[in-house]
Every structure is written in structure tokens, then in C-alpha cells.
């Protein structure tokens, strides 16, 4: 035991050095993009925003695109968009992702109608934008159900097929709110921290199961101009552009990137967060105006 642990420790040290060098190398030379032609991609929340954008991009790459949404109108718009831009067929399914039974029913239908999903993008999300004590209980619960609990059920429905072939990709659309909480996002941040946790634990679980052929990507963007966060007050960092965000997410998936934070400065913020004093984080939040971003939040006109 004594000498073994020393050798194991040395072996670990070598690996840590190797991975660090690899990470620096990968900063300059990105891994090649994988070919996803023929893959079956399921995008949740495909009826609008970045979900719709990702559906279009994966269709351009030759994937069979399946999407689900609570909005039939949104699904119809996505179907038309894909047809106009690519000629591809869009397989749209109406589903309330806060309802486990509906998710399992939809999964059975997709497997029967289209086939085995190889890329699952858990994207659908909602935000209440209310301060903790102003937020109705039911809405807080709904936020958790759509933004993270639904991920359990889609994973349980589609991961087994990926495991049996040791091929697939799980994409979690979380948020910068999965690392940093701001006023007006207590429920939203809780759901996004949880979504980051799902992705983190799943990454290790898949490796532990010997299924490293199933890749994991966690996406953590700052505000994007999709309409979901209409009204947010920005002092410093600019709001991300929807189309550029979609391009970066698809690129990260094709390169099997484990985590994508946008903009890049959030990698530094995340690293600093657990090192500097909490009061420093608060001071920076005030300086950057982040603390007040949700003060004039309106969100989408239609309520989901
Ligand atoms: N917009 C931003 O600023 C921003 C920033 C970081 C992360 N995100 C995350 O990105 C994802 C997509 O956001 P978006 O900006 O494209 O928003 P969006 O509102 O344009 O799209 C969300 C989609 O999810 C669908 N949806 C909502 N509730 C549903 C339910 N119960 N069942 C099925 N579908 C449902 C909506 O109908 C909509 O089509 C979300 O998870 C969001 O939290 C957004």
C-alpha cells in the first residue's frame, strides 16, 4: 500500500501535467469537428430562440432533426424555417417538459417514428424574473421542473440507447446563472446550478461506466437577445447575439467541448469565484452592474 500510493501519486502528477499541457495546446489548436451527418438530434424547446437556431444548424449539417416544445406555433415556425432553408424535414413533437408522463410518451413516439436519438440537447427553459418573496410558488416549482427535472426524464428516456452503442452526446443548455446568482433569479439560478450539476456528475458517471463514447457538453451563456430576458439592464458586458451563440454551441458540440462559457471572460470569473472573498464578488457585481440587471426585467410578453 505504502509504495503503491507513491507510484499512483506520481502517475497522477504526470497525468495532471499532461492534461494541463494538452489544455494549453487545445487553446491554440482546436480538435477537429466530428461528422454528425445522419445523427438523430433532439432539441427540446425547439420552437424559438437558440433551440430553433440549433435545430436549423444541425439540419444544415445533415442531421435528422427532432424537436419538441410546448408551443405548437413555435414548432410550426421551426418546421417552415428548416424546410425553407435546407429542404429538410423537421420532426416536431408537442410536449410539456414539466410533465414526466408526456416526456416518456413522446420518447416512445420518437423511437417508433424516427429512431434512436444520438444527440440530446436539453435546451427548453423558462424564467420568472421575480424576487424570491414575489414569486408565486407554482412558478418557482415550474422553473425547476422545466429547467432541470425534465432533464432527468429525457436522459432516462434517451441515454440507454446511447449507452448500448457507446455513442452519443448529451448537451445541457444551462446558463452563466448556473455559476453566479443575481437578484431576481433565485429560482432560475437554482435550476441552472442544478443543471450544471447534472452535466458534471453525468460526465463522471459515463466515464465510470466505461461509456466515454457518450460525450457531454454544458453550455453557460450570459444574456442572449432571444427575447427571454427582454428588459435586462446591461452596464458593461454586451448581450450575446442569438445567431453567434448558436454557432458557438454547435461548434462546441462538434468538437466535443466539455464546457462552453460565453463570453470567454466567464471562465475567469468562474475560476476566481471560489478564490476571492465573497465581499469581493459582491463588489464586482456592483461595479459591473450585474447586481441590478434584472431590475427592469420584462421577459417574453406571452407567459409560458
Ligand atoms: N436568453 C438568454 O439570455 C439565455 C441566457 C442563458 C441561458 N439561456 C437558456 O437557453 C435556453 C433557451 O433559451 P432561449 O433564450 O432560446 O429562450 P426561448 O424562450 O426563446 O426558448 C425557450 C423554448 O422553450 C420552450 N418551453 C418553455 N417551457 C416549456 C415546457 N414546459 N415544455 C416544452 N417547451 C417549453 C418555449 O416554448 C420556447 O420555445 C433556456 O434553457 C435558457 O434558460 C438563455
Amino acid at each position: 500500500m505504502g509504495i503503491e500510493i507513491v507510484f499512483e501519486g506520481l502517475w497522477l502528477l504526470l497525468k495532471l501535467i499532461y492534461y494541463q499541457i494538452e489544455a494549453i495546446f487545445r487553446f491554440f489548436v482546436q480538435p477537429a469537428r466530428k461528422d454528425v451527418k445522419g445523427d438523430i438530434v433532439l432539441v427540446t424547446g425547439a420552437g424559438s430562440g437558440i433551440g430553433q437556431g440549433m435545430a436549423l444548424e444541425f439540419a444544415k449539417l445533415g442531421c435528422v432533426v427532432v424537436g419538441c416544445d410546448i408551443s405548437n406555433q413555435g414548432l410550426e415556425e421551426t418546421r417552415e424555417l428548416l424546410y425553407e432553408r435546407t429542404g429538410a424535414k423537421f420532426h416536431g413533437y408537442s410536449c410539456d417538459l414539466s410533465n414526466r408522463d408526456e416526456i416518456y410518451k413522446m420518447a416512445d413516439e420518437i423511437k417508433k417514428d424516427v429512431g434512436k436519438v444520438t444527440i440530446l440537447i436539453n435546451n427548453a427553459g423558462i424564467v420568472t424574473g421575480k424576487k424570491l418573496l414575489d414569486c408565486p410558488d407554482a412558478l418557482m416549482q415550474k422553473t425547476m421542473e422545466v429547467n432541470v427535472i425534465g432533464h432527468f426524464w429525457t436522459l432516462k428516456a434517451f441515454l440507454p440507447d446511447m449507452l448500448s452503442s457507446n455513442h452519443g452526446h448529451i448537451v445541457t443548455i444551462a446558463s452563466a446563472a448556473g455559476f453566479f446568482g443575481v437578484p431576481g433569479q433565485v429560482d432560475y439560478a437554482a435550476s441552472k446550478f442544478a443543471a450544471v450539476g447534472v452535466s458534471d456528475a453525468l460526465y463522471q458517471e459515463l466515464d465510470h461506466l466505461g461509456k466515454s463514447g457518450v460525450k457531454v457538453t454544458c453550455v453557460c451563456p450570459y444574456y442572449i437577445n432571444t427575447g427571454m430576458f427582454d428588459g435586462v439592464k446591461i452596464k458593461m458586458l454586451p448581450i450575446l447575439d442569438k445567431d453567434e451563440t448558436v454557432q458557438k454551441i454547435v461548434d462546441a458540440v462538434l468538437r466535443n467541448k466539455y464546457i462552453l462559457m460565453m463570453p470567454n471572460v466567464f471562465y475567469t470569473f468562474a475560476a476566481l469565484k471560489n478564490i476571492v472573498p465573497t465581499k469581493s464578488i459582491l463588489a464586482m457585481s456592483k461595479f459591473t452592474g450585474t447586481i441590478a440587471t434584472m431590475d427592469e426585467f420584462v421577459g417574453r410578453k406571452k407567459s409560458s
Side-chain angles (χ1 to χ4, degrees), residues 48 50 69-70 95-97 123 174 188 192 224 226 229 300:
S48 120
I50 58 171
D69 207 290
I70 200 167
C95 178
D96 178 355
L97 291 154
N123 162 75
Y188 185 72
K192 294 299 184 179
I224 316 163
T226 60
F229 279 90
R300 286 198 182 286

Side-chain angles (χ1 to χ4, degrees), residues 35-41 58 61-64 116 118-119 167:
D35 182 8
V36 289
K37 195 162 182 228
D39 269 77
I40 300 181
V41 183
F58 279 107
L61 290 166
C63 293
V64 177
K116 294 174 182 174
T118 46
I119 303 178
H167 168 78

Side-chain angles (χ1 to χ4, degrees), residues 207-268:
D207 186 85
H208 203 48
L209 289 169
K211 301 290 180 184
S212 51
V214 181
K215 305 298 178 192
V216 171
T217 297
C218 184
V219 180
C220 298
Y222 181 64
Y223 298 117
I224 316 163
N225 65 355
T226 60
M228 184 183 191
F229 279 90
D230 269 0
V232 289
K233 239 181 10 187
I234 300 299
K235 187 174 155 193
M236 284 195 149
L237 292 171
I239 292 189
L240 300 169
D241 174 70
K242 186 192 96 178
D243 296 333
E244 275 176 34
T245 304
V246 166
Q247 292 297 338
K248 284 188 179 160
I249 297 172
V250 172
D251 188 69
V253 173
L254 298 180
R255 297 184 197 278
N256 293 328
K257 198 168 177 174
Y258 169 64
I259 187 148
L260 174 65
M261 302 190 104
M262 287 174 279
N264 281 334
V265 71
F266 273 85
Y267 291 107
T268 312

Side-chain angles (χ1 to χ4, degrees), residues 54-186:
M54 288 187 284
L56 177 61
E57 289 310 309
F58 279 107
K60 286 183 193 165
L61 290 166
C63 293
V64 177
V65 180
V66 187
C68 67
D69 207 290
I70 200 167
S71 160
N72 286 327
Q73 191 193 328
L75 288 171
E76 186 53 26
E77 279 169 20
T78 305
R79 191 190 65 73
E80 282 171 17
L81 183 76
L82 261 62
Y83 187 71
E84 273 168 24
R85 300 273 186 91
T86 67
K89 179 172 178 190
F90 171 67
H91 304 264
Y93 289 81
S94 174
C95 178
D96 178 355
L97 291 154
S98 64
N99 182 320
R100 185 181 52 185
D101 294 339
E102 279 194 32
I103 293 174
Y104 286 155
K105 186 166 162 278
M106 172 189 70
D108 287 343
E109 286 171 14
I110 292 173
K111 286 178 201 184
K112 192 159 58 74
D113 304 345
V114 191
K116 294 174 182 174
V117 168
T118 46
I119 303 178
L120 168 63
I121 306 183
N122 276 318
N123 162 75
I126 54 171
V127 59
T128 62
K130 295 185 190 307
K131 299 239 170 25
L132 175 71
L133 298 181
D134 301 330
C135 195
D137 297 358
L139 276 187
M140 298 181 82
Q141 209 155 340
K142 186 66 91 180
T143 300
M144 294 304 289
E145 282 165 0
V146 178
N147 293 6
V148 65
I149 294 173
H151 296 200
F152 297 158
W153 318 134
T154 54
L155 284 167
K156 283 198 150 190
F158 297 107
L159 189 57
D161 284 334
M162 297 187 202
L163 293 183
S164 60
S165 57
N166 194 17
H167 168 78
H169 206 131
I170 304 295
V171 184
T172 302
I173 306 296
S175 167
F179 283 84
F180 309 95
V182 297
Q185 290 189 4
V186 170

